[in-house]
Amino acid sequence: MQLKMDQDALTGFLAAEFGQVAGEFAVERADAAGVTLRLKVSEKHLRPGGTVSGPTIFLLADVAMYLAVLSRIGPVALAVTTSAAMDFMRKPAAGRDLLGEARVLKLGRSLAVGDVMIFSEGGVEPVARASLTYAIPPTR
């Protein structure tokens, strides 16, 4: 399977279309297996008690899956999340970035289904797991 957007193209797309959050992320990998996206964890991502908040972890999962879908279909800005489920499995390691490893499990004409495993940088046990479905707008 040939990618339609590589690591550099995904990084540029994120900066151009989602500048409000692009600086929080780094595309670490984009290949046939999927996309790895780094969330640069900062103070604003923490909840009371000093751990990364659930909404922040969901943000990483959603953006990672979005980029994995775009890597396959190209720069389709209006692909949108239609379904998401998230399992929070353990507290992220303090002071470490999070990595979301996204893979597309099924790519159809109108829907893409995938999952994202989220890890603390350097960790081997997942922090969270997400299952997401994206709607792909029809081409004209």
Side-chain angles (χ1 to χ4, degrees):
M1 141 107 250
Q2 185 170 353
L3 295 183
K4 293 199 175 175
M5 295 180 78
D6 63 10
Q7 183 177 353
D8 291 337
L10 292 170
T11 299
F13 180 86
L14 196 58
E17 299 296 332
F18 296 96
Q20 68 273 28
V21 296
E24 298 178 35
F25 297 103
V27 179
E28 300 276 309
R29 173 185 63 87
D31 57 29
V35 168
T36 299
L37 185 65
R38 174 182 298 271
L39 172 68
K40 303 170 193 172
V41 175
S42 68
E43 189 71 29
K44 72 179 178 179
H45 299 117
L46 304 181
R47 65 180 304 276
T51 190
V52 178
S53 72
T56 298
I57 295 171
F58 179 81
L59 172 67
L60 172 58
D62 195 34
V63 174
M65 189 65 219
Y66 180 63
L67 294 179
V69 171
L70 295 186
S71 76
R72 302 283 184 92
I73 67 171
V76 180
L78 296 179
V80 295
T81 310
T82 60
S83 177
M86 189 110 195
D87 296 309
F88 298 95
M89 296 184 273
R90 59 189 43 83
K91 184 172 142 177
R96 296 205 180 149
D97 288 349
L98 293 180
L99 298 169
E101 298 179 359
R103 62 187 178 146
V104 176
L105 301 173
K106 181 178 187 307
L107 180 61
R109 286 189 311 269
S110 61
L111 291 176
V113 177
D115 65 12
V116 182
M117 297 296 287
I118 299 186
F119 299 88
S120 290
E121 181 179 31
V124 294
E125 297 292 329
V127 169
R129 179 187 67 87
S131 217
L132 298 108
T133 301
Y134 269 77
I136 301 166
T139 55
R140 301 198 188 269

